[in-house]
Amino acid sequence: MNTKEKNKVPLIEDMFKWPSDEPRIIASRCKKCGTVSFPKLTFCQNPSCEKKRENIEVIELSNKGKLYSYTVQRYKPPEPFRYEPYKPYGIGMVDFPEGIRIWGMITRMDNLKIGMNVKTTAGKLYEDEENEYLTWMWEPVD
Amino acid sequence: MKNREVAIIGCGLHPWGRFPEKSQPELAVEAINMALEKANMDWREIEFIAAGSPLWVYDGEGVNNCLSGTAIERQMGNIGVPVVSTANACATGTATLMVACMAVASGEFDVAIAVAADKSAMGFFRPQSRNSRYDPDYQRFVMTGYTNPTYWGVETKRRMEEVGTTEEDLALIKVLVSKAGAKNPYARYKKVFTMEEVLNSPMVCDPLRLYEICSTSDGAGAVIVTSLDKAKKYTDKPVIVEGVTIGTGSFGDQSLPLYMLSAFPRPGVPTLTESRNAIARTYKMAREQYNRRCPEDIDVIELPDNTSWHYLVYLDCILDLKPGEAEEMIRRGDTDPIDGKIPVCPSGGLASCGESVAAQGLYQVKSAVDQLKGEAGESQVKKDVKVALAQTYGYAGNNAACLLSRGW
Ligand SMILES: [Zn+2]
């Protein structure tokens, strides 16, 4: 029987660093004013800042942050979201040292606490014949 | 409004519910018929049409959604007048009213109609494209499973920690609002809920339970406006539009417009700035032209109770409350929809209607107009109503506010 490992690929490219032992969110930063955006933007979102492509650099965020708050999605969302086999999941927003707050699924749904330390990791959404499709997730480290 | 005062002379609604046998333009026609009748007016007297476009271009009726005004005018019969179709998510209905009012205030048109019909997608809202590169709604949905209620759950949990909101507070809001919904013939849900029923309903996105989150509905609304000096020709009770606007957020907001995957909170910038900006602008319009004191003069509020969390944060925004004051108000019964000190959602709110997204703002405006005119029947509030506020919350940071008063 074929036990070849499937490729692990991001469901959407270029949103988090992969492949990596230490996945990180890929964001953009304005070299003029320091505004950080995710997903990365072509122009600075600060209304007082000039709209020039060359002002923007792509950065990888720190891989640790603090959980701003969280919830559990108890019911299965409709397509096109796919999380298989489906089970309820923790989801929340994380404050990063770079000043940005970002959404993501959490690797567990119990024993979560506002303010807890989490790190960025990669987790599986679903798979087909060839690939496992990944997204970024928050993993509690406290 | 500057230049020329504007008044509402007729409102119409199609009841809220599920109507698979009718198209959106058909729902709109029924609302328009009622508004025309109230204004003693013929369709051919309309000089300008502002129509609201629902978001569900793919899940809904396609061209009837993106070109809603075209579809509605066709169904009413083409009369050759200018039509704009506008999409502002949940602020759409009020956006159409703003556009109609500006058309009249400018002096360019004497009679304008704001109209919107929406058969909102059922269940959790979902992205309308499969464009993984450019559709941020698709990106957020497939990568994080972030449904709208997850955001509301996250913020409710945070509020509980910061302000001390309790599960009983969240349930009490549904109990309060449902009392009024039971009396409104246009509401979809007529049931009066008990605390026990709400607290025993299934958890959807902790700590929000099923009965603390509004459902989605079909519905339609229409509002006819003219200049205040011409309004008496059509009605004894014209309602003055003291202020109406849509609002967008400020850079650095602490909260997150739905669909966005991140916030970049800056010091000194509050939450829900799209709402605060809409409210501030509306208050400014009313203050400058009518010496209105806001929020002190407001007698009744229609706010967007998409969830019990929304009800609390919109009390904060509209009344400029300190943390925890909104919770104290509801526990004291100050916001009882019929006999409260400041009645909130006498229409039954979104809790009793289910949100018909593009049309919801016009539903709220009609409720406010009925309260001012004393025509709200069983859901007429006990206190004398001279000034009413209608306020919406919306997807992607769209917001609207509208302040109305008696013009007789
Ligand atoms: Zn910048």
Side-chain angles (χ1 to χ4, degrees):
Chain A
M1 199 50 213
N2 186 359
T3 54
K4 180 174 78 101
E5 270 205 35
K6 292 182 180 178
N7 299 317
K8 295 179 195 295
V9 299
L11 179 60
I12 298 177
E13 294 287 338
D14 232 15
M15 296 186 85
F16 62 100
K17 186 177 158 195
W18 186 262
S20 171
D21 295 335
E22 199 179 64
R24 288 165 185 259
I25 292 290
I26 297 172
S28 63
R29 181 167 58 201
C30 172
K31 289 185 262 188
K32 298 279 176 187
C33 75
T35 295
V36 181
S37 302
F38 174 77
K40 55 187 163 63
L41 292 177
T42 311
F43 300 108
C44 178
Q45 61 173 318
N46 180 345
S48 308
C49 208
E50 52 190 5
K51 306 301 153 200
K52 287 192 176 161
R53 287 167 195 272
E54 58 268 31
N55 290 356
I56 301 298
E57 60 181 351
V58 174
I59 60 167
E60 290 170 7
L61 294 186
S62 318
N63 83 326
K64 289 200 176 63
K66 283 192 186 305
L67 192 60
Y68 164 80
S69 186
Y70 62 93
T71 186
V72 174
Q73 172 78 22
R74 303 268 167 192
Y75 290 83
K76 188 179 176 184
E79 294 257 330
F81 180 65
R82 288 179 68 183
Y83 181 46
E84 296 163 357
Y86 179 77
K87 56 185 188 303
Y89 50 91
I91 176 168
M93 287 191 285
V94 169
D95 283 318
F96 282 88
E98 289 82 357
I100 190 168
R101 180 177 299 155
I102 298 182
W103 268 104
M105 295 171 77
I106 307 174
T107 53
R108 66 183 197 219
M109 52 184 267
D110 298 314
N111 300 315
L112 299 173
K113 207 172 162 340
I114 288 174
M116 77 193 310
N117 292 304
V118 301
K119 69 171 189 176
T120 309
T121 184
K124 188 180 101 171
L125 287 165
Y126 66 95
E127 60 186 69
D128 60 18
E129 307 277 285
E130 289 174 11
N131 298 319
E132 280 185 15
Y133 296 97
L134 308 182
T135 188
W136 69 89
M137 290 189 185
W138 315 131
E139 182 181 341
V141 292
D142 279 352
Chain B
M1 316 248 320
K2 277 184 195 152
N3 204 37
R4 194 150 83 135
E5 290 183 273
V6 177
I8 292 172
I9 51 172
C11 297
L13 292 181
H14 185 289
W16 262 225
R18 281 290 176 203
F19 307 99
E21 72 284 6
K22 298 180 190 176
S23 71
Q24 280 170 182
E26 289 175 53
L27 298 176
V29 167
E30 295 189 38
I32 292 170
N33 282 344
M34 182 176 165
L36 288 170
E37 195 179 315
K38 286 270 180 193
N40 297 302
M41 186 181 282
D42 185 79
W43 174 241
R44 284 192 178 273
E45 291 179 69
I46 301 290
E47 298 172 16
F48 179 87
I49 302 166
S53 292
L55 295 170
W56 329 109
V57 174
Y58 181 82
D59 284 336
E61 298 177 9
V63 74
N64 282 353
N65 287 42
C66 48
L67 295 179
S68 57
T70 307
I72 291 166
E73 196 217 6
R74 179 121 192 109
Q75 194 90 144
M76 286 299 299
N78 285 139
I79 49 175
V81 304
V83 175
V84 294
S85 302
T86 162
N88 288 90
C90 319
T92 300
T94 320
T96 64
L97 181 62
M98 179 195 185
V99 174
C101 287
M102 292 201 317
V104 169
S106 72
E108 193 64 35
F109 302 95
D110 283 337
V111 180
I113 189 166
V115 57
D118 195 333
K119 292 165 72 176
S120 298
M122 282 191 262
F124 294 107
F125 289 166
R126 62 202 76 107
Q128 295 293 297
S129 90
R130 298 293 183 268
N131 188 326
S132 63
R133 183 164 179 199
Y134 290 126
D135 182 356
D137 202 18
Y138 178 80
Q139 291 171 345
R140 66 114 171 193
F141 205 78
V142 300
M143 293 305 270
T144 69
Y146 138 40
T147 59
N148 295 353
T150 59
Y151 178 60
W152 306 331
V154 160
E155 289 291 10
T156 310
K157 188 151 292 241
R158 183 85 189 185
R159 186 178 179 100
M160 282 177 147
E161 174 127 334
E162 287 179 349
V163 176
T165 316
T166 65
E167 290 201 29
E168 286 72 24
D169 291 334
L170 302 175
L172 176 59
I173 289 165
K174 173 71 169 191
V175 171
L176 279 173
V177 176
S178 71
K179 276 169 52 180
K183 299 177 175 182
N184 179 354
Y186 294 91
R188 176 174 174 188
Y189 304 105
K190 306 286 196 323
K191 178 177 161 55
V192 179
F193 284 84
T194 65
M195 287 291 285
E196 201 181 12
E197 284 169 330
V198 182
L199 287 169
N200 285 332
S201 69
M203 196 64 87
V204 176
C205 289
D206 313 38
L208 292 172
R209 297 175 181 278
L210 184 64
Y211 293 149
E212 296 160 357
I213 303 172
C214 78
S215 68
T216 61
S217 286
D218 305 342
V223 175
I224 301 172
V225 292
T226 187
S227 62
L228 183 58
D229 57 344
K230 295 200 165 60
K232 282 280 158 76
K233 189 178 136 195
Y234 302 100
T235 176
D236 294 337
K237 293 181 173 178
V239 168
I240 297 173
V241 182
E242 293 194 3
V244 60
T245 194
I246 55 173
T248 62
S250 301
F251 174 66
D253 193 316
Q254 309 296 308
S255 45
L256 190 127
L258 282 175
Y259 92 48
M260 294 188 64
L261 273 169
S262 70
F264 190 62
R266 298 292 83 197
V269 184
T271 58
L272 293 164
T273 51
E274 73 275 21
S275 313
R276 295 176 194 276
N277 291 338
I279 292 164
R281 178 166 171 75
T282 303
Y283 287 179
K284 178 170 177 280
M285 291 170 83
R287 189 173 60 241
E288 289 179 357
Q289 193 166 7
Y290 296 94
N291 291 317
R292 186 61 62 205
R293 294 174 311 142
C294 293
E296 298 85 343
D297 286 353
I298 298 171
D299 295 309
V300 63
I301 296 171
E302 283 290 339
L303 58 69
D305 56 324
N306 300 62
T307 67
S308 293
W309 170 76
H310 291 75
Y311 186 104
L312 293 168
V313 295
Y314 277 93
L315 285 179
D316 292 351
C317 292
I318 292 165
L319 300 175
D320 197 21
L321 302 178
K322 293 187 188 68
E325 275 188 283
E327 282 79 353
E328 288 168 23
M329 285 179 72
I330 61 161
R331 291 170 199 162
R332 282 197 304 262
D334 291 358
T335 63
D336 184 285
I338 306 298
D339 53 21
K341 231 159 75 180
I342 172 94
V344 171
C345 293
S347 68
L350 275 64
S352 307
C353 305
E355 188 177 22
S356 176
V357 177
Q360 202 65 39
L362 296 175
Y363 176 99
Q364 292 180 320
V365 167
K366 177 176 183 295
S367 166
V369 166
D370 287 348
Q371 290 293 338
L372 286 162
K373 294 167 84 166
E375 293 179 359
E378 277 189 72
S379 42
Q380 184 68 41
V381 307
K382 291 285 182 290
K383 70 188 281 195
D384 190 35
V385 179
K386 295 195 181 71
V387 179
L389 179 81
Q391 165 79 40
T392 66
Y393 160 89
Y395 170 84
N398 282 271
N399 196 277
C402 175
L403 194 78
L404 304 170
S405 68
R406 288 180 186 169
W408 66 94

